[in-house]
Amino acid sequence: MQKLFKWGATAVVAAGFCAVAGTANAADPIKIGAFLSATGPASFLGEPEKKTLEMYVHKLNKDGGVQGRKIELVVYDDGGAGDKASTFAKRLIESDKVDLIIGGSTTATTMAAVPLIERAGVPFISLAGAVVIVEPVKKWVFKTPHTDRMAAEKVFADMQKRGITKIGMISEDAGFGKSGRDQSLLVVKNYGIEIVADEVYSPKDPDVTAQLTKIKNAPGVQAVFNFGFGQGPAIVTKNFKQLGIAVPLYQSHGVASKDFIKLAGPAAEGVRLPAAGLVVPGQLAATDPQKPVVTAFKKEYEEAFKSDVSTFAGHAYDGLQIALAAILRAGSTDKAKVRDEIEKTSGYVGTGGLVSMSPTDHMGLSLSAFHMVEIKNGDWMLMKD
Amino acid sequence: MNMMTPRTGGLALLAVIITVAPIGFTNTYFYDVAVNAMFNAILCIGLNLLIGYAGQISLGHAGFLALGAYGSAIMTTAYGVPPIAAMLISATVVGLIAFVVGRPILKLKGHYLAMATLGIGIIIHIVLKTESKITGGPDGMSLDNFSMLGFTIMGDKMWYWVAGVLLILSAWLALNLIDSPVGRALRAVHGSEVGAEVVGVDTSSYKVLVFVVSAVFASLVGSLFAHKNGFITPDIGSFFGSVHLVTMVVLGGMASVFGSVIGAVILTLLPQVLAAVEQYEAMILGGIMMGTMIFMPKGLLPSILASLKRREAGR
């Protein structure tokens, strides 16, 4: 019995110490949680995101952390599944007690976690694309990537400038392409452009000549716009050349990776698309504020991982930088204060563009974040205005 | 009264575990995982009636789960149907679908049956993914809390007790069904279909019946799961989801109600436990599965019970 008391007393004392240590010690690490789709069908998003977060957190800690506090990163892999994402988000909030969450590689995983994040009140920066994440504005939810609507608007603006009024649309009949098509139909009228042919293909179609022929035969088509990612757009591009369609082909930001050029081969020549400055750092004007940021990020990423940097890695980088800047300004990891500071993010120059958020805009990117590029000699060329 | 029959002893033990377990829960994340485990357990109890007792395979049950979830989500958000009604209507519709497709496909056997059920699951998954006007497409859709008669189930703790009661209820129902003439008929079908028919069992009716029952179980769980999470994606109905469910049943023990519970709990908890060693998660999971299948082909619970019995007999 006495022994039991002794142990009990020791435990109480130890617990007391822990409690003292637990009260907002400046040396406590800043805990950042992330749930990403590092494996599964969306791993091309989640994997570079995860690597980027780990690389920069490691680097920051080696340089002494933020405000003398180390950063502790907790990453879970949701495999692209919404229900897993929501469980991991709960784990980050309840069990790991993180100060801030980055993640949701896809719109589905993000939206699956949003209800409980809103309830718990934790600042959350999503790395997924769709407009629904920030529209309507949710108190605790922010995002870094461009939306599909912006990509469509950028493309239509470019067409308008070139006097194109009638186009053919061809889109992938799945997630990204579908949402992109919906957004395109929503904004196309604002640019005085009419969609005279509207075709879809499935992501696994080995050939889309039938759809493209219909577009080719539609009267008065001056350009074709394809919304999709993966190998679909490469097939569209190849078939487009085979059919000898003489009008310009526009792609979405979904193909802004070197893999697309490799897949489509010579047929990719002359394809136009909106892309973040990250893919063309060398060609940005010397006065462009993005130039040093994207050049440095590209160099660091490619040196560390010996593979081409992707815009997705950039989204994670931007998310982390916005979060840390907000924590710095807030002077603490108080969740409400950090949230307010994220919302006040203004003039942050990231890989995605210039970010200025507001209570009504939790993404903060404008159309200028995109650059129209054209594929020339197997590489991206910034288009002259 | 023998306290060790599964019906009394097992149910009592299950009730005790459900009541006592929250003592170890330090935050609501634990409750959340426990609720998921119990939902899976309910679904597996239903699926085990089909797989374990009637000896029929289904690789499409995640599809029925998703139908229940989307049925609830669409009816409550787009048409303002009360959640309880939406849940029951979904379950009825899923039961009807299972009945209609069950008749022809349960005539198939072995691999062919597996293929046909696989097809159903995949078709449901594709429809949910592509009909984005109704289902929100691959990006999913959200729905509200489950409320009934002015009472709302909110928060993980409340869901825990609801799921706990439902789990005990489902186990009790399943145990009763197995011990009824229907259950005996099902086991006869499992033993030998021809033999069962010779002794006067209407095998195809019983097979369809149990297929419908297991689909309804899946649909009800789907509705509850949707309300609990507040957001669903078509992924819950994926082929992988169906395989996961069958794995739970086989791992825990075919033809064992409590085996299904154990299989569901283990396979729901493992990914969470292994999240820390994420790179090796699939490897460890695969290793456990292979080990179980090689050394305990009947599944965990039946094998352990058998070895306990052997030991007692040897004494």
Side-chain angles (χ1 to χ4, degrees):
Chain A
M1 201 63 192
Q2 235 172 357
K3 214 170 188 179
L4 205 71
F5 266 120
K6 219 167 162 185
W7 278 112
T10 319
V12 168
V13 172
F17 271 119
C18 288
V20 171
T23 47
N25 193 325
D28 273 355
I30 297 170
K31 289 190 96 171
I32 295 182
F35 60 96
L36 303 167
S37 310
T39 61
S43 61
F44 71 101
L45 302 168
E47 209 233 334
E49 288 164 358
K50 177 167 177 267
K51 287 200 295 198
T52 306
L53 288 184
E54 282 168 350
M55 174 174 95
Y56 280 94
V57 166
H58 179 74
K59 208 176 135 202
L60 284 163
N61 282 339
K62 224 170 58 189
D63 299 344
V66 173
Q67 288 179 324
R69 296 169 68 177
K70 294 265 184 222
I71 304 166
E72 193 182 322
L73 180 70
V74 188
V75 184
Y76 294 120
D77 172 18
D78 59 40
D83 51 334
K84 273 196 184 172
S86 89
T87 300
F88 280 131
K90 180 155 284 164
R91 183 169 182 171
L92 289 170
I93 297 167
E94 300 289 346
S95 209
D96 301 316
K97 302 208 183 302
V98 296
D99 299 309
L100 181 136
I101 298 176
I102 295 177
S105 302
T106 69
T107 303
T109 55
T110 297
M111 293 305 287
V114 160
L116 64 105
I117 285 174
E118 282 284 297
R119 237 177 286 141
V122 180
F124 173 49
I125 302 179
S126 165
L127 309 179
V131 182
V132 291
I133 296 168
V134 288
E135 250 175 56
V137 170
K138 296 161 196 72
K139 187 176 176 198
W140 298 90
V141 183
F142 302 85
K143 81 186 209 70
T144 56
H146 321 91
T147 65
D148 34 17
R149 186 187 298 169
M150 289 170 63
E153 285 175 332
K154 187 78 184 177
V155 165
F156 294 145
D158 186 74
M159 289 176 173
Q160 191 183 33
K161 209 163 55 194
R162 288 161 211 281
I164 293 169
T165 54
K166 284 185 174 175
I167 63 162
M169 173 112 205
I170 179 164
S171 56
E172 190 176 273
D173 191 17
F176 180 77
K178 216 175 170 100
S179 158
R181 174 180 167 271
D182 293 346
Q183 297 299 327
S184 300
L185 296 184
L186 207 68
V187 297
V188 69
K189 286 186 200 79
N190 306 342
Y191 295 87
I193 296 170
E194 190 192 348
I195 295 179
V196 291
D198 185 8
E199 296 293 326
V200 294
Y201 59 90
S202 112
K204 289 192 181 100
D205 281 355
D207 189 283
V208 293
T209 9
Q211 291 94 322
L212 284 172
T213 311
K214 275 194 206 158
I215 292 177
K216 190 185 177 187
N217 295 337
V221 170
Q222 294 168 293
V224 177
F225 181 26
N226 177 207
F227 223 115
F229 66 25
Q231 60 172 356
I235 292 167
V236 169
T237 308
K238 278 186 178 170
N239 288 167
F240 189 85
K241 273 280 143 66
Q242 284 158 6
L243 286 173
I245 305 178
V247 300
L249 174 63
Y250 286 83
Q251 291 281 359
S252 74
H253 58 314
V255 306
S257 81
K258 278 277 165 67
D259 291 332
F260 169 72
I261 302 184
K262 277 182 209 138
L263 275 173
E269 290 296 301
V271 168
R272 299 168 182 173
L273 59 134
L278 186 56
V279 303
V280 283
Q283 298 169 43
L284 293 177
T287 50
D288 194 319
Q290 255 199 299
K291 189 168 178 128
V293 177
V294 292
T295 314
F297 175 63
K298 188 177 156 77
K299 192 169 154 258
E300 279 169 1
Y301 185 94
E302 290 179 354
E303 266 173 15
F305 302 115
K306 311 275 175 266
S307 63
D308 282 341
V309 70
S310 72
T311 46
F312 317 121
H315 300 327
Y317 172 83
D318 290 348
L320 184 66
Q321 297 299 334
I322 290 174
L324 293 177
I327 290 171
L328 260 181
R329 288 198 302 271
S332 75
T333 43
D334 181 79
K335 294 188 179 71
K337 276 190 205 153
V338 172
R339 188 215 82 93
D340 292 346
E341 287 303 328
I342 295 177
E343 196 169 70
K344 285 183 204 149
T345 298
S346 168
Y348 161 73
V349 184
T351 64
L354 207 65
V355 182
S356 291
M357 300 201 194
S358 74
T360 53
D361 181 3
H362 277 191
M363 173 181 63
L365 289 165
S366 68
L367 275 193
S368 65
F370 270 132
H371 301 270
M372 284 306 292
V373 299
E374 192 170 303
I375 298 170
K376 285 254 171 71
N377 302 323
D379 206 352
W380 317 106
M381 283 296 288
L382 207 56
M383 281 170 81
K384 297 273 176 294
D385 286 326
Chain B
M1 288 293 281
N2 185 356
M3 279 305 285
M4 282 321 287
T5 59
R7 204 181 314 179
T8 47
L11 278 180
L13 186 63
L14 185 64
V16 169
I17 292 174
I18 291 173
T19 323
V20 173
I23 293 173
F25 294 174
T26 47
N27 59 52
T28 54
Y29 156 68
F30 288 90
Y31 282 95
D32 182 63
V33 175
V35 173
N36 284 344
M38 289 198 284
F39 279 165
N40 280 333
I42 297 173
L43 212 166
C44 285
I45 288 175
L47 189 57
N48 208 346
L49 292 175
L50 181 74
I51 298 179
Y53 290 97
Q56 311 297 313
I57 185 101
S58 169
L59 289 177
H61 259 59
F64 295 128
L65 171 84
L67 277 185
Y70 273 92
S72 273
I74 293 165
M75 275 190 268
T76 53
T77 53
Y79 301 102
V81 179
I84 181 84
M87 179 167 107
L88 296 177
I89 295 171
S90 305
T92 314
V93 172
V94 168
L96 276 176
I97 294 174
F99 179 75
V100 172
V101 298
R103 276 240 157 235
I105 68 165
L106 285 166
K107 290 209 169 76
L108 305 170
K109 289 189 178 63
H111 302 313
Y112 301 101
L113 179 63
M115 284 300 293
T117 52
L118 173 78
I120 295 172
I122 289 182
I123 289 170
I124 294 173
H125 187 214
I126 291 176
V127 169
L128 293 177
K129 248 171 122 166
T130 46
E131 290 306 311
S132 57
K133 287 244 159 52
I134 311 167
T135 64
D139 291 344
M141 68 185 294
S142 59
L143 67 169
D144 280 337
N145 286 323
F146 192 96
S147 54
M148 189 173 85
L149 307 170
F151 177 79
T152 308
I153 305 177
M154 247 180 69
D156 300 289
K157 282 184 193 165
M158 213 189 276
W159 272 111
Y160 179 83
W161 298 113
V162 171
V165 169
L166 290 176
L167 175 58
I168 294 171
L169 204 65
S170 325
W172 177 77
L173 266 175
L175 288 169
N176 271 308
L177 188 74
I178 294 157
D179 273 346
S180 70
V182 177
R184 285 188 284 277
L186 288 177
R187 269 176 285 179
V189 172
H190 192 184
S192 158
E193 239 184 285
V194 179
E197 253 170 54
V198 168
V199 296
V201 176
D202 182 357
T203 53
S204 62
S205 288
Y206 279 116
K207 282 199 285 186
V208 172
L209 173 77
V210 75
F211 188 65
V212 169
V213 169
S214 64
V216 168
F217 264 75
S219 169
L220 292 174
V221 170
S223 295
L224 291 170
F225 177 82
H227 281 292
K228 190 213 98 192
N229 268 22
F231 191 88
I232 44 171
T233 60
D235 282 329
I236 57 168
S238 68
F239 166 61
F240 186 75
S242 294
V243 173
H244 204 60
L245 293 172
V246 173
T247 318
M248 287 175 186
V249 170
V250 175
L251 176 76
M254 284 197 271
S256 160
V257 169
F258 296 105
S260 321
V261 177
I262 291 175
V265 169
I266 290 178
L267 281 189
T268 316
L269 295 190
L270 259 189
Q272 296 295 325
V273 176
L274 297 179
V277 284
E278 182 212 322
Q279 303 96 306
Y280 307 108
E281 185 192 321
M283 244 164 70
I284 298 174
L285 211 62
I288 292 174
M289 302 293 309
M290 273 165 58
T292 316
M293 287 301 101
I294 293 169
F295 299 110
M296 305 179 176
K298 283 197 178 125
L300 281 176
L301 190 65
S303 303
I304 291 170
L305 285 181
S307 81
L308 281 181
K309 254 182 212 154
R310 264 203 308 278
R311 210 182 266 183
E312 228 158 73
R315 230 177 247 166

